[in-house]
Amino acid sequence: MNLVFLFAAAILSALTIYRLLLRPQMEGQPDGDTGRYRLLLLLAALLAVAVRVYRFGGVPGGFNQDGAMAAIDAKALADYGTDHYGMRWPVHLTAWGYGQMSALLSYLMAPCIKLFGFHAVSLRLPQLLVSLLGLAALYLFCREAFGKGPALAVLFFAAIDPWHIMQSRWALDCNLYPHFFLFGLYFLHKSLSGRKRLWLCFSMGLFGLCMYCYGIAIYTLPVFLVLACVYLLVKKRVRIGEALLALAVWLAVAWPFILVMAINFFRWDTIETPLFTLPYFAGSVRSGDILFFSENIPAQLWQNMKALADAVIIQKPDLPWNSIGQFGSLYLFSLPFAIAGLVWLLKRLKTSDGAVLLLLFFVTGVWCGLCTNNVNINRVNIIFYPMLCFTGLGLYAVGRCVRVRFLRPGLAAGYLLAFCLFCGCYFGPYAQQIEGYFLKDFGDAVVSLKDSPAEKLYITGKSQGENTAYVSQVLTLFYHETDAEYFQGKRQLPGLLPFRERYTFANMEQLVIDPQENAAYVAAEEELKFFELDAYEMERYGSYYVLRTKGE
């Protein structure tokens, strides 16, 4: 099916590009604001919401370890105003130690925990809400920049887009970045048509928050801001004073994160202020992800170019939580429409500020892919909103330029078929597959010991392969909803040993297993050989077993 659709898309897009370049009058007249339009807009909105909330919290099953890390820090922030290590209001999270984590998602999770409790729905709710707001901002931006018809086409495509659906249904800190970038872009464009300083300041505040979404914002977002500022100054759409005001507002929000990056680059000490902490991470290895720190920059740049093409253009299979191979991030046959949409956009650069800003958004995404080593979908996620726009605009252009009866219903039917197949896979076979990647069986085993009367708990270090005790610990903290001060050793819970004495995370072969000890175990199937099985009661959770001393 993909090859047939790709062939048809290529023919339609080639014809559209020809007519756009040589016979622009064939594009047709702008769409009017009719009852039919409003009905289609409502349908697109309902479709977008329905596919994102259906079985929300249950699909994907289990919980990704990075989402779990964000959640345990969020719980600590909600309870004590610290991360789970005890750092007071950190600007950037220590997280795994060797690799830090952006803080905004945890700060958004914290009030959800306070209001709704600690469970998958409340913890994934911020990403869902931000993603839905992203769709609204995308539609409003396109409507104001290009008109109602193009905006509706973009919204419909975004509503059923695999990338947008998948990232909205689980919790990963970096996936906030494209949405907050889009929010800033929308209000920046809005500032050009009225109440300039108000919307400009609001835009810069949102761009400032981008810095707390994903660390790569430090070398990607400024590229967009500088290019946009130069363009708007040259076109006399903003004055020098307004540009300086924008810079001041952005710095007012972003400076703590920028200072954290400086602290870690120059290896300064952690700075504690009355309001927040700017940490130094002695064990950080994140600089190895950036092109500028590579040992062989030309070779790494070539690798980055190939990785960018694989992730965005070819849409090769990515990490299973980022895409489903047979559908890709934008549907595998959509590239010709995206090219047609880019041509449609380029023809409007002289007359539309929105077209220029969207193109700069795309250029920033390309810069991100070139400068970040071996990107995958979530590392280059800011490029996908421009790609969504290009594809939707291309579909609109095809529908206006190619005068073939039933073409528009045919395009709609083709994408509806692809969408239905995607949903059937996502909520069917894929839902079973992703549970393994999100370690659901391990989580179920750990949950069964949450209120165990055993004095000690031994948790296998093979949760995510060999020697991944650090993942086992994070997931156990998550599933046991462990109190942060108990974890830190500052608080004693009635009837329990201190955390470091009660919990041990290790491969079973590293332990001396005593059947007489008042203990319970979570062991991988291949580790059962280290136990005297007659001495234990066992429960199976997929490839993991819970072993309790008989009579516990």
Side-chain angles (χ1 to χ4, degrees):
M1 185 191 78
N2 277 317
L3 287 176
V4 173
F5 280 16
L6 180 62
F7 182 70
I11 293 176
L12 291 171
S13 298
L15 184 57
T16 298
I17 292 170
Y18 168 77
R19 291 183 171 176
L20 284 172
L21 295 177
L22 300 182
R23 302 172 66 185
Q25 69 276 13
M26 292 296 295
E27 188 179 332
Q29 300 301 316
D31 295 275
D33 186 9
T34 64
R36 179 173 173 270
Y37 178 91
R38 290 192 290 269
L39 179 62
L40 290 174
L41 178 60
L42 177 62
L43 178 61
L46 292 176
L47 184 63
V49 173
V51 73
R52 286 160 179 77
V53 302
Y54 175 66
R55 295 175 63 186
F56 184 71
V59 180
F63 218 85
N64 174 266
Q65 68 271 15
D66 286 320
M69 176 64 81
I72 61 177
D73 276 333
K75 185 177 185 300
L77 289 166
D79 292 342
Y80 301 109
T82 70
D83 68 1
H84 75 285
Y85 295 112
M87 184 179 293
R88 185 172 175 274
W89 302 117
V91 168
H92 206 57
L93 299 173
T94 304
W96 302 97
Y98 67 88
Q100 290 69 55
M101 183 174 288
S102 300
L104 185 58
L105 180 60
S106 292
Y107 280 99
L108 293 178
M109 284 180 173
C112 293
I113 293 170
K114 282 288 190 181
L115 291 172
F116 308 116
F118 192 89
H119 48 77
V121 171
S122 66
L123 297 171
R124 290 172 173 170
L125 186 59
Q127 186 67 38
L128 172 65
L129 295 178
V130 169
S131 296
L132 290 174
L133 288 173
L135 289 179
L138 182 67
Y139 169 75
L140 292 173
F141 169 77
C142 290
R143 189 185 70 179
E144 295 176 12
F146 311 122
K148 291 183 171 63
L152 182 61
V154 170
L155 178 61
F156 254 113
F157 180 72
I160 65 171
D161 174 64
W163 167 76
H164 201 283
I165 294 168
M166 293 180 71
Q167 60 80 37
S168 71
R169 295 180 58 92
W170 64 291
L172 183 66
D173 58 313
C174 68
N175 279 337
L176 291 178
Y177 186 30
H179 306 298
F180 276 85
F181 198 119
L182 179 62
F183 299 155
L185 178 75
Y186 167 64
F187 285 104
L188 176 60
H189 182 260
K190 192 174 182 65
S191 74
L192 303 178
S193 58
R195 305 182 70 180
K196 179 177 292 186
R197 292 189 178 183
L198 173 64
W199 295 128
L200 183 62
C201 290
F202 196 50
S203 168
M204 291 303 113
L206 290 165
F207 279 128
L209 289 176
C210 285
M211 310 301 284
Y212 305 93
C213 295
Y214 195 9
I216 66 171
I218 193 68
Y219 60 85
T220 55
L221 181 63
V223 171
F224 172 82
L225 294 179
V226 170
L227 292 176
C229 182
V230 170
Y231 165 76
L232 295 173
L233 286 172
V234 169
K235 296 288 287 187
K236 299 183 179 179
R237 302 292 277 134
V238 298
R239 302 184 181 92
I240 291 291
E242 291 166 337
L244 293 174
L245 173 64
L247 175 62
V249 173
W250 181 72
L251 286 175
V253 178
W255 75 263
F257 176 81
I258 296 171
L259 185 52
V260 166
M261 294 297 102
I263 287 171
N264 284 273
F265 183 80
F266 294 108
R267 300 182 181 276
W268 299 335
D269 292 333
T270 293
I271 299 174
E272 295 185 18
T273 76
L275 298 178
F276 46 76
T277 303
L278 303 109
Y280 168 64
F281 305 112
S284 177
V285 297
R286 285 302 190 190
S287 61
D289 294 337
I290 304 173
L291 173 68
F292 314 122
F293 297 99
S294 301
E295 294 181 359
N296 188 336
I297 291 180
Q300 186 62 59
L301 177 61
W302 176 245
Q303 285 297 116
N304 292 355
M305 292 171 64
K306 292 195 295 183
L308 177 62
D310 288 344
V312 180
I313 305 302
I314 303 173
Q315 300 183 62
K316 283 188 175 181
D318 200 274
L319 296 171
W321 43 86
N322 287 335
S323 72
I324 301 175
Q326 59 267 43
F327 299 98
S329 53
L330 300 163
Y331 295 112
L332 296 178
F333 53 86
S334 292
L335 180 61
F337 294 127
I339 295 172
L342 178 58
V343 173
W344 187 92
L345 186 81
L346 292 175
K347 284 175 58 62
R348 284 154 178 78
L349 291 182
K350 292 182 179 180
T351 59
S352 171
D353 293 325
V356 175
L357 293 176
L358 180 58
L359 184 63
L360 294 180
F361 192 174
F362 175 70
V363 169
T364 305
V366 173
W367 171 259
C368 172
L370 295 179
C371 295
T372 307
N373 292 345
N374 303 312
V375 293
N376 57 18
I377 285 175
N378 57 42
R379 286 191 170 194
V380 72
N381 52 24
I382 62 168
I383 205 170
F384 286 105
Y385 266 127
M387 291 297 294
L388 286 177
C389 284
F390 295 164
T391 306
L393 294 174
L395 289 168
Y396 173 80
V398 168
R400 300 301 265 176
C401 291
V402 182
R403 302 300 180 86
V404 176
R405 193 177 182 184
F406 302 125
L407 175 60
R408 293 188 192 183
L411 289 172
Y415 271 100
L416 181 61
L417 174 61
F419 172 63
C420 290
L421 292 173
F422 168 78
C423 289
C425 181
Y426 182 81
F427 294 108
Y430 174 81
Q432 299 296 319
Q433 176 192 13
I434 197 64
E435 288 181 354
Y437 290 107
F438 278 13
L439 307 176
K440 184 178 185 296
D441 292 340
F442 176 81
D444 290 342
V446 169
V447 167
S448 72
L449 293 180
K450 183 177 179 181
D451 299 314
S452 172
E455 185 178 45
K456 293 188 175 182
L457 302 179
Y458 295 94
I459 312 295
T460 181
K462 295 185 176 183
S463 56
Q464 201 183 43
E466 293 292 333
N467 301 314
T468 53
Y470 61 100
V471 175
S472 300
Q473 176 174 290
V474 166
L475 291 175
T476 301
L477 290 172
F478 172 79
Y479 283 111
H480 285 191
E481 300 179 38
T482 305
D483 180 86
E485 291 195 346
Y486 174 60
F487 169 74
Q488 297 161 27
K490 296 178 180 178
R491 181 182 178 190
Q492 185 64 38
L493 298 182
L496 297 181
L497 293 173
F499 180 87
R500 303 296 175 185
E501 296 179 32
R502 176 170 170 78
Y503 290 90
T504 299
F505 303 92
N507 296 353
M508 295 298 121
E509 61 264 32
Q510 298 170 337
L511 304 176
V512 177
I513 299 173
D514 180 3
Q516 304 303 314
E517 185 179 22
N518 181 14
Y521 300 81
V522 173
E525 187 171 19
E526 65 267 24
E527 295 177 314
L528 294 180
K529 62 187 177 183
F530 299 110
F531 293 85
E532 297 178 19
L533 297 182
D534 292 341
Y536 296 93
E537 297 176 349
M538 294 196 303
E539 297 176 10
R540 181 176 182 177
Y541 298 87
S543 59
Y544 295 93
Y545 286 79
V546 172
L547 298 93
R548 296 180 175 89
T549 305
K550 287 185 176 179
E552 180 189 315

